[in-house]
Amino acid sequence: QVQLVESGGGLVQPGGSLRLSCAASGGLSRIYTMGWYRQAPGKQRELVAVMTSGGSTNYADSVKGRFTISRDNAKNTVYLQMNSLKPEDTAIYYCNYNVPGRGHWGQGTQVTVSS
């Protein structure tokens, strides 16, 4: 059973930076997509940034140029570096590990951007 442990959320002022981490363990596959989604109050969960096992990335238009997804294969960990944060980035950020036919979610970490 895949387990995802997230860390790195918190409160930051507009224009600030945060880095989220997600460590995966248990039953991992060589073929996968792993990354981040977010859900703001009253809104649907949306893709933020994901990376395939082959290294391809996909970003939401709203975060392009500000957020960067990366990974450490030795640690089975993906990171989301978030720069130039805006109040509209406030949400619960969820790590996702997706293999053909099945998806796994982390517990979520709160990111609040406010002065």
Side-chain angles (χ1 to χ4, degrees), residues 32-54:
Y32 63 89
T33 299
M34 189 170 178
W36 298 91
Y37 290 70
R38 68 186 180 188
Q39 188 165 18
K43 295 188 177 181
Q44 290 188 333
R45 191 172 297 188
E46 63 177 2
L47 179 146
V48 177
V50 294
M51 178 181 283
T52 70
S53 49

Side-chain angles (χ1 to χ4, degrees), residues 28-33 52-54 97-100:
L28 302 182
S29 172
R30 292 192 304 112
I31 307 297
Y32 63 89
T33 299
T52 70
S53 49
Y97 182 89
N98 206 48
V99 296

